Amino acid sequence: MVSPSALLACPPTEASAPRLPRQADQRELQAGLLDRPAHIDPKFLYDALGSSLFSAITQLPEYYPTRCEAEIFERHGADIARHAGTAQTLVDLGAGDCAKAERLFPALRPRHYVPVDISADYLQAAVRRLRLSYPELRITPLGQDFSQSLSLPADIPEAGRLFFYPGSSIGNLDPDGALAMLERIRALCPDGGLLVGVDLVKSSAILEPAYDDALHLTAAFNLNLLRHVNAVLDADFDVDDWRHVALFDRRRSRIEMHLEARRNVRVAWPEGERLFAAGERIHTENSYKFTPQAFTALLERAGFASVRHWSDSRGWFSVFGARA
Ligand SMILES: C[S@@+](CC[C@H](N)C(=O)[O-])C[C@H]1O[C@@H](n2cnc3c(N)ncnc32)[C@H](O)[C@@H]1O
């Protein structure tokens, strides 16, 4: 380990963390709730409590992705760093608690760290901790919803950007959305690269418990979305009316998370209402599982080259490295 202070040399940057305009959130939520079947974008899973719950989920025995990804960086870190090249700026997409990127600092030695996350308050708290450990690292946290567009401040040099998109978050997007996201990243890195964590197709017996654990933390994470919706939309969801459902759809190669009405439920908000029959579901998240060949092809379609991947010892998860 190099000492944190040996990493670089720029003073920390104060950054604001603008969130989505509340009205845009409200319009999006209302449209999803009135649709048939109803759906809510998984980004609404992440208010401050949702981010803390996700962090706890990563420690569950059933939730293998975080441990698999860590094993890959432990076993292949030097090779991955060589392939990634010099990272002047490390852009961490969906940074959460920033812990994964922090573990890469010694190998990648970035001069500037740019964590991006929709959960802006949680991100700011993580960055406050990080600044104490790395006083000389320039850090620019961005509270941004990158589901429709991704932008970086003009003072972040285009050269030497390495994008880091771990935790199989790319799998939350449908195939067209994943391609569009990779294209957005590619457009922002003319000479840099991308490290992306990708979950692989495997047995339902491994996949489903990872999204429906014995302690019911994932259920709490999914149900907390309703409390977040209540706060944003001024709706009156009662968490007790709903139960968590997680299923692997092998044909679509994705885990689906839903909230299912336990009884007939009427939900109201200032601009509307919806009656849900007992058993009716709200679709809250997809998590696509890939083969290495399919994800390599996706990266190449998005304009990346020199694609390599590294897997854990059980072949459950891969980290892909790609150059612009
Ligand atoms: C699955 S968690 C991964 C967290 C961390 N990177 C890891 O790998 O453990 C997804 C992260 O992406 C963030 N996120 C989800 N949707 C987002 C969006 N549309 N825009 C920005 N951040 C988003 C969440 O707040 C959360 O921190």
Side-chain angles (χ1 to χ4, degrees):
M1 280 282 281
V2 292
S3 78
S5 58
L7 287 173
L8 16 110
C10 299
T13 304
E14 274 317 311
S16 62
R19 266 288 287 115
L20 264 185
R22 201 177 170 84
Q23 282 183 344
D25 281 349
Q26 290 170 337
R27 274 196 303 274
E28 181 178 349
L29 283 171
Q30 165 150 290
L33 286 173
L34 294 177
D35 216 351
R36 286 181 191 271
H39 52 88
I40 298 176
D41 191 284
K43 67 189 178 193
F44 291 103
L45 290 163
Y46 298 95
D47 61 355
L49 178 57
S51 295
S52 296
L53 285 167
F54 179 75
S55 182
I57 287 168
T58 64
Q59 296 173 46
L60 289 169
E62 295 95 330
Y63 196 78
Y64 60 85
T66 306
R67 274 186 303 281
C68 289
E69 205 173 37
E71 181 199 322
I72 294 166
F73 282 113
E74 261 163 44
R75 292 179 60 190
H76 304 290
D79 199 20
I80 293 172
R82 258 194 309 278
H83 182 263
T86 314
Q88 299 288 331
T89 305
L90 182 64
V91 184
D92 186 359
L93 298 173
D97 59 11
C98 303
K100 283 187 182 169
E102 184 182 1
R103 285 196 287 275
L104 296 185
F105 288 169
L108 298 176
R109 302 173 68 88
R111 299 178 62 81
H112 189 174
Y113 174 53
V114 182
V116 188
D117 205 292
I118 195 167
S119 192
D121 294 343
Y122 189 78
L123 178 63
Q124 290 287 8
V127 165
R128 273 196 294 278
R129 285 192 298 275
L130 211 57
R131 282 186 170 140
L132 295 176
S133 304
Y134 302 89
E136 294 170 48
L137 176 61
R138 184 174 173 208
I139 306 179
T140 307
L142 302 175
Q144 188 180 125
D145 174 3
F146 49 60
S147 56
Q148 300 303 320
S149 65
L150 176 63
S151 60
L152 296 177
D155 66 345
I156 297 179
E158 281 199 341
R161 291 176 180 169
L162 177 64
F163 284 81
F164 182 46
Y165 195 16
S168 71
S169 294
I170 186 85
N172 295 147
L173 305 171
D174 66 21
D176 288 346
L179 178 62
M181 181 68 185
L182 293 174
E183 286 172 343
R184 280 199 281 279
I185 297 170
R186 176 66 186 83
L188 289 175
C189 74
D191 69 351
L194 168 66
L195 288 177
V196 52
V198 176
D199 201 7
L200 302 179
V201 178
K202 62 185 83 58
S203 141
S204 310
I206 299 162
L207 285 167
E208 286 181 353
Y211 295 84
D212 196 4
D213 57 280
L215 281 182
H216 306 299
L217 276 187
T218 316
F221 174 64
N222 198 9
L223 287 162
N224 176 62
L225 173 143
L226 298 177
R227 294 166 39 124
H228 191 195
V229 173
N230 283 348
V232 175
L233 194 58
D234 197 15
D236 63 355
F237 276 103
D238 182 341
V239 167
D240 287 339
D241 288 337
W242 300 85
R243 72 179 189 97
H244 166 70
V245 177
L247 299 164
F248 184 52
D249 180 335
R250 190 160 293 280
R251 190 177 61 80
R252 293 190 167 108
S253 197
R254 68 187 195 192
I255 284 277
E256 293 186 1
M257 291 206 321
H258 298 260
L259 290 166
E260 184 178 284
R262 291 179 184 273
R263 53 192 74 89
N264 292 343
V265 177
R266 174 181 172 276
V267 180
W269 58 94
E271 308 278 305
E273 66 167 16
R274 167 88 188 248
L275 302 175
F276 291 92
E280 208 174 337
R281 291 177 179 175
I282 304 174
H283 191 166
T284 55
E285 189 183 77
N286 290 320
S287 183
Y288 281 84
K289 311 303 167 188
F290 294 88
T291 62
Q293 297 75 8
F295 200 77
T296 300
L298 196 62
L299 282 166
E300 289 173 351
R301 275 183 69 198
F304 285 99
S306 306
V307 178
R308 282 191 61 188
H309 74 278
W310 300 263
S311 300
D312 62 291
S313 49
R314 291 179 293 194
W316 286 3
F317 196 93
S318 283
V319 171
F320 282 74
R323 308 278 313 165

